[in-house]
Structure formats: C-alpha cells, structure tokens
Amino acid sequence: MEVSPYAGKPAEQKMLVDIPKLITAYYSGIPDSSIPSQRVAFGTSGHRGSSFKNAFNERHILAITQAICLYRKEQKVDGPLYVGFDTHALSAPAFASTMEVLAANGVEVMIAEGDEYTPTPVISHAILKYNAGRKTGLADGIIITPSHNPPSDGGFKYNPPNGGPAETDVTNWIEKKANELLQENLTQVKRISLEKALKASTTHRHDYLNTYVADLGNIIDMDVIRNTKIKMGVDPLGGAGVHYWKPIAEKYNLDLTVVNRIVDPTFSFMTVDWDGQIRMDPSSPYAMQRLIEMKDHFDISFACDTDHDRHGIVTKSVGLLNPNNYLSVAVSYLLQNRPNWAQSSAIGKTVVSTQLIDRVAAKLGRKLYEVPVGFKWFVDGLLDKSLCFGGEESAGASFSRLDGNAWTTDKDGFIPALLSAEITAKTGKDPGILYKELIQELGEPVYDRIEAKATPEQKEKFKKLTSAQIESKNMAGENITHILTNAPGNNAPIGGLKVVTENGWFAARPSGTEDIYKIYGESFLGETHLKQIIKEAQDIVNAALK
C-alpha cells in the first residue's frame, strides 16, 4: 500500500470536512435505491457512509430506526432501548432522527444525562446489566457511530438483547425492511418532532458514565495501578469517551493525564493516516504520532478510537505496539493473573489474528476458539462464559470480569487500555518489554496485509471456494497442513480462504465495499519468508478463482 506524503503530519486546512455542507447533505439528500451504494447496507459494523455520497442521510436513519421498531415488535423485545452516539458530525443529527421515530413508536428509550456522548462498550455494558437475571422485558441498544472512520462518515449499529453486534440474520432483516421503507418513500415511518420526542413519557435519562466507571474495579485491578503510582497518559482522539477518563482517574485515585480534551467534528487536531485521510485509528502509527512523541512522559499511555471500542497502547520501550503483539501479551498476562476464571473457558480470536496467540494458549493449556472476522462471533461465548477473551487483529477486544462473568459482549477500548496499566504496575515491565520476552520463548512472527484487485464476479467466487480447489501441496518451502474455508472454532464460513503451514499462514477475503480482496500473511521465519508467502498466496488465490 502506497503511503501518502502527508502521513503522520498534522492535518492541513484543505483536508478538513466542511461541516455545514455535510449536515445540509444529511437533511437534503435523497438516496436512489437503484444505486447499491445508496441503499441501506449493514456490514460487519452496521450501516456506514457519508451524506456527501448519499450513503448516510436522514432518510436512511428514519428507515433503519422504523425497521428496528418493527423487528423489536416481531421478536417481542419490549424492554428499554439504550441509545448512544459519538462525536462525528453526522452522529448528532442521526440521533435526532432516531429519537423522532422511537418516540413515535412508543419505545422506552434510555439516553445519556446532559446529552453526553456515549461509547459503544458503555451501551453493551448497560444492556447486559439491565438484562441480568431477566427472561422477559429485555433491553437492547442503538449506537450511532462509524467507529474510527473519517470525519465525513456516519454510522449506525444495532445491538440485540445479548448486548453484542447483531448477527447476520438480524441485520439482513433490518436491512431488507429499511430498504422497503425507503422505496415506499417512508410512508410507513412513524415520526414526531424532536422536541416532543425528548419530552415523551417513554424517553428517560440514564447515568451511563458513572454506572460504567463505578463498575471498572470489577474487571481491572485498580488497587495495583493506584498503589504503584505509575504515570499514565490517555488521548481520547476527540471521541465519545473524552469525558470518561477524568472521572475514572478521580474514582480510583489514578495518576492519569488526559493529554487532549478537544472535541472537534473536523478532527483538525489529528495527524493524518497512511493514505492521507484523517482517521481516528489508535492502531495506526501515523494517526497516533502525537501520543507516540509523548511516550517518555509516562510509564504507559494509550488511546481509543471515536466510539472507544478499539485501543492503541504506547509503551516507553518500543512506542506504539502492533495490535497483534499487544493482544498476545494481554492473553498471556490475563491467563496467569485471573485465578477466578474457569480453566475450561477458551481464548477467542479471528482467523486473521496472529498465531502467537495460539502458541500462548497452548503453552498455558487453554483451548483456542478461532472464528471469522467480526466481533459478533464472540458474543455468545463471552455471555455464557465458554470464552474468557475475544480479540481481533484490528485492536478490538473484550474479556471477562475478575470473577469470570461477562463484562461486555461488544469491543471495549477502555479495558485493554487500563489493562496495559495493570500489566505495567503488576510486572514492573511495560507490554513492549513483555512482548520481547514472549517472542524469545515462543518465536517472533512478522505480519503484513496487502490488497489486490478483484472483480465483483471474483468476489462472489470467493464465497464459494472449497479446499478441493487448492491444488498446491506446499507454500514458501513448507508443506501445507490446513486449507480452511470455514473457521475451525465454530465452522462458520470465513468468506474466503486460509492456508496454513508449520511456520506461516495466509488468509484472503474480499472487501465488502471495494473491488479488492485482502491478503493477510504471517511468518515465524522472518521477512523473506513472509514475502514469499504473500507472493505465493496471490498465485494460489488467482488459480483458485479461475
């Protein structure tokens, strides 16, 4: 991937989104149902798009919200609906549209006190807390966020009563119904004014912030962080958790400095990501440049993306940790420092996450649960305690409380960030040092991801690939041990292909939004071997697609 000359540098004025024009487009745009990019489409993280492209505007949100009301009715979900939104410019208008429909449909809605921004994990936490011990009157949630996407984007997610991202059958139902409502020119959408919606008897205020903060001591060892007096720095990247960090520090008496308190819908304070776009990605060394430059001011520092469901860990020893590297350290530490976790609970990872996690799990005698890309695959396991950890290579994770019960069933950026402080306090070593010790024992992986062009027809073929179509018996000098088109953990289709040897692997998946496919590769034998894997992966995939 070609890196932009602007990468890692402060955003320039010409890069900033025109907020008034963006909001105007939200209210004035009329999507054309004959154009696929302008229809409602739920990917792995809900419906996303920009109002400039007629992909995310008022009509979409009215239709999706009405579809959710109809889905709730069909499924007899009649408890409170927890609603939150982040700091993207399109999130507040979308929240207003959502409230107008929910109130008109008589839905009991829980919104934040003081119109506070609400992170994704806080919504999941609230749903699980309310539903604990209940069989009827269950709660669910809506989160209005495009995650770490650029400032011009909006996003909309639905979390059912299990608290996690909705499964494909749920999103397919909502997507289909929303598109029908759009084609009917919204004639079936119930709606009242925002003023009436906020005053409705069904609209309630909820103290998300203090409820969540007060519970953090039940998942993170705050005593060891406080008692060792380690210095921490956090950059909320202008996101929904911006006002959560100070109360966390005060509640637990932590030496925690919020290095950036700015909320600005243009995100002009960011350094530019690899492709020249502003993107609030805490796993990107380009987007995280400012916090990396401060690394020596703190014993450990961290950041979260705009809805605070992803984390980025900056250590004194090595700077920003690759997400795969930190997840490996986190798994290793947690399995040795959570005595109340059941020995039978497994470690969840996606098929494109590092194999170092496999080696850590094997060393510590734990079962591994490998699933397709998407956090939704971890939800049931986290809920029923058959999983104690679920993590993605894209810096998303959640894990069990100290007592082994579920914390959230959606990604939570707060807890891996605070865990990095617990690790540093408890071991006297930051996660960068611990990673070096881990790879000395278990081998050092090198990892890369590339993109290659694929026609829509080829992308469809990806979904139907079988292991029988792979004629190669070896790859990069090693025998192929496994050819997977279904994930070994739950046998769900991975939507592509994974080929494994003793010391390396690659996975290939088509993009859901672009005419490309992505190849993820890893080797424990060094960069040269990895390059060979990536090169041969393209040949293997191209031969199979023919």
Side-chain angles (χ1 to χ4, degrees), residues 299-300 315 317 329 333 420-435 437:
D299 297 308
I300 190 78
T315 65
S317 59
V329 170
Y333 174 84
S420 71
E422 181 191 325
I423 291 170
T424 305
K426 187 86 177 271
T427 66
K429 302 170 184 176
D430 73 39
I433 295 169
L434 292 174
Y435 178 72
E437 292 179 358

Side-chain angles (χ1 to χ4, degrees), residues 42 62-79 81 101-102 105 107 138-142 156-178 180-181 188 190:
F42 277 77
L62 296 173
I64 296 170
T65 309
Q66 183 63 51
I68 287 171
C69 292
L70 295 169
Y71 176 79
R72 295 180 95 240
K73 202 168 184 180
E74 184 180 89
Q75 296 295 314
K76 296 182 172 56
V77 177
D78 52 6
L81 180 68
V101 176
L102 293 175
N105 281 272
V107 177
L138 298 178
D140 52 357
I142 286 172
F156 194 101
K157 300 194 292 186
Y158 174 65
N159 284 26
N162 62 23
E167 292 185 353
T168 308
D169 58 343
V170 179
T171 55
N172 284 349
W173 195 101
I174 294 168
E175 180 183 306
K176 183 171 179 285
K177 180 58 70 176
E180 286 174 8
L181 292 166
Q188 301 300 312
K190 295 179 183 177

Side-chain angles (χ1 to χ4, degrees), residues 441-500:
E441 181 185 359
L442 300 176
E444 180 175 8
V446 283
Y447 184 96
D448 198 9
R449 190 187 87 180
I450 66 161
E451 295 173 355
K453 288 185 177 174
T455 65
E457 293 74 27
Q458 287 175 318
K459 286 169 66 177
E460 279 303 308
K461 282 185 181 179
F462 255 107
K463 298 173 186 175
K464 298 168 186 169
L465 281 177
T466 66
S467 57
Q469 289 171 258
I470 309 304
E471 296 178 356
S472 303
K473 297 289 182 259
N474 55 63
M475 177 176 71
E478 294 191 306
N479 291 334
I480 291 172
T481 56
H482 296 94
I483 299 170
L484 306 171
T485 53
N486 289 56
N490 59 358
N491 202 37
I494 62 179
L497 179 72
K498 184 172 182 178
V499 176
V500 186

Side-chain angles (χ1 to χ4, degrees), residues 37-43 45-49 54-57 60-61 64 145-146 154-157:
S37 63
Q38 295 186 23
R39 292 170 62 83
V40 172
F42 277 77
S45 295
H47 175 77
R48 290 185 187 178
N54 248 343
F56 187 98
N57 57 34
H60 290 114
I61 304 310
I64 296 170
T145 172
F156 194 101
K157 300 194 292 186

Side-chain angles (χ1 to χ4, degrees), residues 105-140:
N105 281 272
V107 177
E108 299 284 340
V109 180
M110 311 296 278
I111 59 175
E113 288 185 350
D115 297 321
E116 181 58 74
Y117 302 111
T118 308
T120 288
V122 175
I123 295 289
S124 179
H125 179 269
I127 295 168
L128 295 191
K129 196 171 179 66
Y130 183 86
N131 287 343
R134 295 177 190 268
K135 299 291 184 192
T136 59
L138 298 178
D140 52 357

Side-chain angles (χ1 to χ4, degrees), residues 221-442:
D221 186 347
M222 294 295 191
D223 292 340
V224 74
I225 301 174
R226 177 178 60 254
N227 295 341
T228 51
K229 296 181 169 62
I230 64 166
K231 289 174 68 70
M232 295 164 279
V234 59
D235 188 344
L237 300 180
V242 65
H243 299 138
Y244 278 63
W245 290 102
K246 187 182 177 191
I248 290 171
E250 290 172 348
K251 165 77 177 169
Y252 298 102
N253 195 19
L254 307 179
D255 187 352
L256 174 65
T257 302
V258 183
V259 302
N260 169 29
R261 298 176 188 273
I262 300 169
V263 175
D264 166 15
T266 67
F267 294 88
S268 59
F269 52 81
M270 289 295 299
T271 48
V272 178
D273 205 3
W274 68 272
D275 57 354
Q277 289 220 60
I278 296 172
R279 190 180 286 108
M280 291 60 70
D281 181 356
S283 65
S284 163
Y286 305 107
M288 287 280 279
Q289 200 58 43
R290 287 205 171 100
L291 193 59
I292 294 168
E293 288 170 1
M294 296 183 204
K295 72 180 178 68
D296 294 330
H297 299 182
F298 306 103
D299 297 308
I300 190 78
S301 43
F302 32 80
C304 292
D305 68 338
T306 327
D307 68 325
H308 272 52
D309 72 345
R310 295 172 193 244
H311 60 273
I313 309 300
V314 177
T315 65
K316 260 187 175 178
S317 59
V318 298
L320 179 68
L321 272 180
N322 177 288
N324 269 318
N325 300 2
Y326 177 61
L327 290 182
S328 303
V329 170
V331 168
S332 177
Y333 174 84
L334 286 166
L335 291 183
Q336 297 176 83
N337 289 275
R338 293 296 186 267
N340 293 324
W341 284 8
Q343 190 66 30
S344 59
S345 61
I347 297 298
K349 59 163 263 194
T350 59
V351 290
V352 295
S353 299
T354 179
Q355 216 164 45
L356 185 58
I357 294 173
D358 305 40
R359 296 186 179 193
V360 169
K363 174 199 163 193
L364 297 173
R366 288 289 184 141
K367 198 163 59 175
L368 194 77
Y369 184 71
E370 189 171 350
V371 298
V373 172
F375 205 81
K376 63 186 177 185
W377 301 109
F378 300 130
V379 173
D380 291 341
L382 289 169
L383 207 51
D384 67 16
K385 298 190 282 188
S386 59
L387 289 180
C388 56
F389 180 96
E392 298 182 308
E393 100 297 338
S394 54
S398 188
F399 48 89
S400 298
R401 293 167 176 265
L402 294 168
D403 66 3
N405 287 310
W407 170 255
T408 61
T409 45
D410 211 329
K411 300 188 289 285
D412 189 333
F414 290 99
I415 58 170
L418 291 166
L419 180 69
S420 71
E422 181 191 325
I423 291 170
T424 305
K426 187 86 177 271
T427 66
K429 302 170 184 176
D430 73 39
I433 295 169
L434 292 174
Y435 178 72
K436 288 179 181 175
E437 292 179 358
L438 203 59
I439 59 176
Q440 281 176 355
E441 181 185 359
L442 300 176

